[in-house]
């Protein structure tokens, strides 16, 4: 014969409270475990601790010359606010280019850039750029075109680029036809 025992409501209440407290404790511990695991694996933006990069910090000064060219069919003035700068690899720099439409017509143009020596171009990183965008320039209008960039510090560790001390950044403004 099976003997049935009666469960009192106070026992159910006690069991429910202990399960609730256990679940809160588990949630607290799982978040701590998640943060520790992510820190060890370098996930979710938490940096790895105790990582040895085996690279010494090496800051190399790099001179950058700025050159501008304009398609002969455009009645524009296109210049950089500076002719050259010297920066440290990894440093974020903002340079302004100035564009002026000298005609009474709307002009459609596009700027393209080139880095020399070409082998260093993979280390040139643009954060904000006006290149490869078609621009419609109103008659007799002045426009400021910002360029924000940095040179990747890994340029110092690549055998083909570690001795480069000077780069030339050339922007060419092309005529894309009339509007």
């Amino acid at each position: 014969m099976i003997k049935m025992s009666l469960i009192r409501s106070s026992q159910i209440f006690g069991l429910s409270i202990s399960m609730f407290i256990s679940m809160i404790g588990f949630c607290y511990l799982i978040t701590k475990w998640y943060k520790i695991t992510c820190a060890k694996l370098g996930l979710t933006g938490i940096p790895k601790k105790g990582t040895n990069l085996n690279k010494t910090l090496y800051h190399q000064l790099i001179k950058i010359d700025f050159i501008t060219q304009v398609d002969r069919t455009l009645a524009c003035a296109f210049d950089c606010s500076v002719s050259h700068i010297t920066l440290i690899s990894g440093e974020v720099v903002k340079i302004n280019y100035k564009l002026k439409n000298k005609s009474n017509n709307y002009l459609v143009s596009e700027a393209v850039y080139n880095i020399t020596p070409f082998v260093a171009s993979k280390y040139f990183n643009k954060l904000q750029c006006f290149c490869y965008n078609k621009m419609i320039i109103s008659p007799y209008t002045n426009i400021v075109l910002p360029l924000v960039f940095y040179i990747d510090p890994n340029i110092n560790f690549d055998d083909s680029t570690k001795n480069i001390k000077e780069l030339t950044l050339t922007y060419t403004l092309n005529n894309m036809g009339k509007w």
Side-chain angles (χ1 to χ4, degrees):
M1 176 181 327
I2 300 175
K3 187 176 182 184
M4 306 229 349
S5 64
L6 296 174
I7 301 174
R8 291 187 219 136
S9 62
S10 62
Q11 290 174 327
I12 292 173
F13 180 74
L15 182 63
S16 298
I17 292 295
S18 63
M19 286 182 66
F20 179 74
I21 291 172
S22 298
M23 289 171 66
I24 288 175
F26 178 75
C27 289
Y28 174 77
L29 292 175
I30 198 77
T31 56
K32 292 292 184 186
W33 178 75
Y34 175 77
K35 286 181 182 179
I36 290 169
T37 304
C38 289
K40 293 284 184 192
L41 298 175
L43 302 174
T44 67
I46 299 172
K48 290 183 184 179
K49 293 184 179 166
T51 304
N52 184 4
L53 296 176
N54 293 328
K55 288 184 180 177
T56 58
L57 288 177
Y58 179 69
H59 297 292
Q60 177 178 328
L61 291 175
I62 300 173
K63 180 183 176 192
I64 301 179
D65 294 313
F66 298 96
I67 298 174
T68 57
Q69 300 173 344
V70 180
D71 187 329
R72 285 183 275 156
T73 61
L74 284 174
C76 289
F78 180 54
D79 294 305
C80 186
S81 59
V82 294
S83 61
H84 67 274
I85 61 168
T86 302
L87 57 85
I88 297 172
S89 56
E91 178 182 0
V92 177
V93 177
K94 179 181 178 185
I95 301 293
N96 288 322
Y97 284 80
K98 298 172 187 169
L99 175 60
K100 180 178 182 178
N101 183 354
K102 296 180 182 180
S103 72
N104 60 354
N105 296 320
Y106 282 88
L107 301 175
V108 181
S109 66
E110 179 180 59
V112 295
Y113 75 97
N114 184 34
I115 303 282
T116 51
F118 181 74
V119 70
S121 63
K122 66 182 175 182
Y123 297 105
F124 180 77
N125 295 293
K126 300 179 305 292
L127 302 175
Q128 179 183 358
C129 184
F130 55 90
C131 56
Y132 303 112
N133 293 325
K134 288 186 179 155
M135 299 177 278
I136 300 172
I137 308 148
S138 302
Y140 303 107
T141 305
N142 293 319
I143 301 173
V144 176
L145 304 166
L147 169 66
V148 180
F149 70 94
Y150 68 95
I151 306 298
D152 189 335
N154 287 323
I155 195 171
N156 301 320
F157 303 105
D158 186 344
D159 289 333
S160 62
T161 58
K162 67 182 177 183
N163 295 321
I164 293 177
K165 305 277 189 249
E166 188 170 339
L167 298 174
T168 302
L169 175 61
T170 305
Y171 270 92
T172 304
L173 192 66
N174 295 314
N175 189 353
M176 301 306 289
K178 289 196 175 185
W179 181 58

